[in-house]
Amino acid sequence: MKAKLLLHITTCLLAASFFIPGCASTEEAGQERNSGRVFSASYDEVWAALEEIILKDLRCAPKKISKKKGIINTEWIYRIDTEGTIRWMIRARAKKTDNGVLVRINKEVEMRDEVSRNINKYRKESKDRTESRAGWKRGESNMGSVDDLYLKVENMLSSEQ
């Protein structure tokens, strides 16, 4: 009897373990992957600096802007070079805190390897290899470029004071 109970519990735990990886993710796709920075200025000053840098300095096209919710999302920006097509977008969040304004900036990067496909179009490729290379692939975001954006916000806020 104890063996059957132990087997039943083990089976239930094993079945439950298949559901855990899908539920254990604490980060939504597209959410910020960094902790952000807190600026000790008013919300309006920080918001104005974010808009100035993202929309005017970088000339990004806005996709969604809500000052009330503290959201700036840009459209995709494309760059074509010898490595293929690279696209990137910026998602910025601003939120009032006790210490100031918390700003989180995320730069999403995706790549499509079109150039090498065109170069190798006469080489025989297996069907699986071609299908696996189709579409966009998530690239590594250069955290240095995100840090530069934080630095620009900081510089803009210090120059206003």
Side-chain angles (χ1 to χ4, degrees):
M1 185 68 164
K2 287 183 180 181
K4 283 186 176 183
L5 181 63
L6 183 62
L7 181 63
H8 182 66
I9 291 172
T10 306
T11 305
C12 289
L13 288 174
L14 183 62
S17 70
F18 288 109
F19 297 106
I20 291 173
C23 301
S25 177
T26 59
E27 187 173 77
E28 248 179 62
Q31 269 191 340
E32 292 77 20
R33 292 175 186 86
N34 58 42
S35 59
R37 302 252 173 102
V38 176
F39 297 99
S40 59
S42 72
Y43 183 82
D44 291 332
E45 291 173 333
V46 173
W47 183 261
L50 278 174
E51 279 188 323
E52 177 79 21
I53 290 166
I54 294 172
L55 303 179
K56 293 182 181 165
D57 289 354
L58 295 177
R59 297 182 181 175
C60 295
K63 182 175 184 177
K64 180 179 181 181
I65 296 179
S66 174
K67 183 176 180 179
K68 184 178 177 182
K69 293 181 181 180
I71 298 171
I72 298 177
N73 293 341
T74 68
E75 294 286 349
W76 288 104
I77 297 166
Y78 293 83
R79 186 184 81 206
I80 301 172
D81 60 13
T82 57
E83 295 175 9
T85 303
I86 298 173
R87 69 180 185 177
W88 57 273
M89 69 180 292
I90 295 176
R91 295 178 189 264
R93 307 257 190 257
K95 182 180 179 181
K96 288 183 186 180
T97 64
D98 294 336
N99 304 350
V101 180
L102 173 64
V103 175
R104 289 190 177 120
I105 301 173
N106 181 35
K107 182 177 180 183
E108 291 186 32
V109 179
E110 292 183 352
M111 296 175 280
R112 183 183 294 179
D113 188 16
E114 294 173 349
V115 175
S116 65
R117 228 183 310 153
N118 288 337
I119 292 171
N120 297 322
K121 69 182 177 182
Y122 297 109
R123 184 177 2 143
K124 291 183 179 180
E125 294 187 23
S126 69
K127 186 175 181 180
D128 294 335
R129 184 174 176 193
T130 305
E131 288 178 357
S132 68
R133 295 176 65 188
W136 293 96
K137 298 175 187 170
R138 183 162 301 271
E140 290 296 319
S141 178
N142 182 355
M143 289 309 291
S145 65
V146 173
D147 288 338
D148 288 344
L149 294 176
Y150 287 125
L151 186 60
K152 286 182 179 183
V153 171
E154 190 173 311
N155 291 337
M156 188 172 282
L157 292 172
S158 66
S159 69
E160 289 177 359
Q161 293 176 357

